[in-house]
Amino acid sequence: MPLFVVTCTDQEGTVEKRLAIRPQHIARLNQLDEEGRLIVAGAMPKDPSNPQAGFYGSTIIVDFESREALDAWLKEEPFLKEGVYSHIDVKPFNKAFPKG
């Protein structure tokens, strides 16, 4: 299946909302992980030792059968629906390393 890099940019001033909605966001990522479709996921904090400083956004690499299927999944993303993410960018990805 095709891989995609999803780069999400946070809206300024949404750190409290982000932290409140995070359990819903993590539940969806856990589901992808259990299905073997999550390659990597993580937030990009402004200060790794202080979540209250905010986030630049998040990056995930996922395995979906098509861009349309990924778009349908993204429409239900809590951070997007609740206005934490101001923008999501999706690009195809060819994994080279690690091998296997």
Side-chain angles (χ1 to χ4, degrees):
M1 290 193 198
L3 299 179
F4 298 93
V5 174
V6 182
T7 306
C8 310
T9 304
D10 277 24
Q11 188 94 259
E12 284 296 321
T14 58
V15 67
E16 295 300 327
K17 187 183 287 189
R18 179 189 244 275
L19 295 174
I21 298 167
R22 186 174 184 271
Q24 297 169 47
H25 170 75
I26 295 298
R28 296 182 83 237
L29 292 175
N30 278 330
Q31 179 68 35
L32 281 183
D33 191 35
E34 289 170 9
E35 295 168 1
R37 298 190 299 150
L38 183 62
I39 308 305
V40 68
M44 298 177 287
K46 292 181 178 179
D47 178 351
S49 64
N50 179 14
Q52 293 298 323
F55 295 82
Y56 296 108
S58 305
T59 298
I60 64 173
I61 300 176
V62 291
D63 186 342
F64 272 83
E65 55 272 10
S66 67
R67 172 63 194 263
E68 293 78 20
L70 172 57
D71 287 344
W73 184 83
L74 286 171
K75 282 184 184 179
E76 299 304 315
E77 169 52 48
F79 284 171
L80 182 61
K81 288 172 72 172
E82 297 296 328
V84 173
Y85 290 153
S86 63
H87 176 75
I88 292 181
D89 183 58
V90 177
K91 296 213 173 19
F93 182 74
N94 291 330
K95 180 184 168 211
F97 292 95
K99 295 181 181 199

